[in-house]
């Protein structure tokens, strides 16, 4: 008997408007003014706290049902965290050092979400003793581990969500596959764990709002499966990924919010909505300032060495993120390879980046919208100093 081939149709990807709303960044003239008052000594991230606040308000206005819980790892500077506390944000942590930092700033511990899917038993014990209530899980082992440390822990299940069109995809390392959900739910029931919600992460710098819609659709299915076995799901955590403007046009937060708010109508009032923006709240507020240590021409290629490279905070370029970079030279743009100051061969920031031909030793480099995932990554490797963080406003 002839079999009819089932033709899998790919759902056409909807088009989203790009750059529909103005994005506000730290003003370059204020960066220059800052440097005039504070002579340059070493790489510095200059952060305008007013912009951090503006971004927090804009997020809350766009997504009134979703409380932002800042991903501390994006920028753990206490002044940034304080501004966000005052704007009513909660927090998401990866480690107990981040927990201690938030406690020292007076953040109510019950509002801190422990969203690292892989937590050591020692960290769980510490966080639990300090009063953390919510813990992410994405495997049977982690459900049992969390439950054995804190029997009444509220757990939220991290599920796999599409990372299509994210500049920094995360899928694969974390997130339960939909096929494994029944087993995970059963494991929670068997050990009497309070599996109380769902989360996902669409990938960082996500330019495709459709990923949230699909993630929320999956969350809805998982909620239904949880209810069938008597669990009471009551947390929907939309994770991070909200993009900021660098060289490519982006869907604004209002555009992503339209998709999310529409999908939220399928969730009842018993469901608490939160999100974990990192980049969105911190990037636009900061300029990363560093300096050219020297230049060289090797085999007809121009090389430029900055005093901050992959180990000094400028690392996201290695995964393809492209920053807007300003200098004070106006020579014609030519292709440069840019490296950091260390002796390590992986310390190459960018290849064939178009920058002014006349850049030379001592010139300043200004990296726009670099308030997230820069200083947070920096190390003292090779003995170079950590970049400092300076702030404007309060
Ligand atoms: C890093 C991270 C975030 C923040 O991601 P952004 O892309 O900066 O918004 C949120 N949640 C979790 C679990 C993360 O690991």
């Amino acid at each position: 008997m002839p079999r009819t081939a089932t033709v899998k149709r790919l759902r056409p990807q909807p088009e989203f408007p790009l750059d529909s709303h103005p994005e506000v960044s730290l003003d370059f003239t204020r960066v220059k003014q800052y440097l005039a008052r504070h002579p340059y000594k070493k790489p510095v991230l200059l952060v305008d706290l007013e912009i951090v606040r503006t971004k927090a308000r804009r997020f809350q206005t766009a997504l009134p049902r979703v409380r932002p819980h800042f991903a501390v790892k994006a920028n753990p500077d206490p002044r940034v965290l304080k501004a966000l506390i005052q704007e009513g944000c909660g927090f998401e942590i990866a480690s107990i050092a981040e927990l201690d930092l938030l406690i020292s700033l007076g953040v109510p511990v019950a509002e801190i979400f422990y969203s690292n899917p892989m937590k050591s038993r020692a960290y769980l014990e510490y966080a639990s003793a300090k009063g953390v209530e919510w813990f992410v899980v994405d495997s049977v082992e982690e459900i049992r581990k969390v439950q054995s440390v804190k029997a009444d822990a509220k757990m939220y299940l991290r599920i796999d969500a599409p990372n299509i069109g994210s500049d920094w995809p995360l899928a694969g390392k974390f997130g339960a596959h939909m096929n494994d959900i029944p087993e995970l739910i059963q494991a929670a029931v068997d050990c009497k764990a309070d599996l109380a919600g769902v989360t996902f992460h669409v990938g960082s710098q996500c330019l495709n709002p459709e990923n949230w819609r699909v993630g929320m659709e999956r969350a809805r299915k998982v909620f239904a499966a949880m209810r069938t076995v008597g669990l009471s799901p009551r947390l929907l955590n939309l994770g991070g990924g909200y993009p900021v403007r660098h060289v490519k046009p982006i869907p604004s937060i209002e555009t992503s919010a339209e998709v999310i708010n529409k999908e939220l109508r399928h969730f009842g009032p018993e469901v608490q909505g939160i999100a974990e923006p990192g980049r969105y709240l911190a990037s636009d507020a900061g300029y990363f300032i560093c300096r050219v240590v020297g230049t060289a021409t090797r085999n007809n290629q121009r090389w430029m060495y900055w005093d901050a490279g992959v180990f000094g905070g400028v690392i996201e370029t290695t995964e393809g993120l492209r920053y807007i970079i300003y200098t004070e030279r106006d020579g014609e743009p030519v292709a440069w390879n840019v490296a950091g100051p260390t002796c390590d061969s992986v310390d190459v920031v960018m290849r064939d980046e178009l920058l002014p031909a006349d850049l030379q030793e001592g010139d300043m480099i200004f990296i726009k919208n670099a308030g997230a995932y820069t200083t947070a990554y920096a190390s003292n490797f090779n003995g170079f100093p950590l970049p400092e963080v300076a702030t404007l406003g309060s």
Side-chain angles (χ1 to χ4, degrees), residues 58 179 190 194 218 271 319 341 361 386:
R58 187 172 161 193
N179 296 334
D190 290 347
D194 182 11
R218 289 184 190 168
V271 177
E319 289 274 326
E361 178 196 344
L386 290 175

Side-chain angles (χ1 to χ4, degrees), residues 82-94:
K82 268 186 208 155
L84 291 170
I85 293 167
Q86 286 167 2
E87 294 303 325
C89 294
F91 295 89
E92 173 268 315
I93 57 166

Side-chain angles (χ1 to χ4, degrees), residues 69-74 92-94 114-117 136 156 158 168 170 174 199-206 212 237-243 275-281 283 316 372-373:
H69 283 247
F70 180 60
V72 174
K73 73 173 189 283
E92 173 268 315
I93 57 166
Y114 203 149
S115 283
N116 184 341
V136 77
Y156 46 111
R158 173 138 163 197
W168 199 271
L170 305 161
F174 296 124
T199 189
F200 54 83
H201 201 305
V202 295
S204 204
Q205 185 69 3
C206 171
W212 276 284
N237 177 347
L238 304 171
Y242 315 88
E276 301 175 334
R279 187 185 301 285
Y280 180 80
L281 296 179
S283 284
E316 288 214 290
Y373 303 116

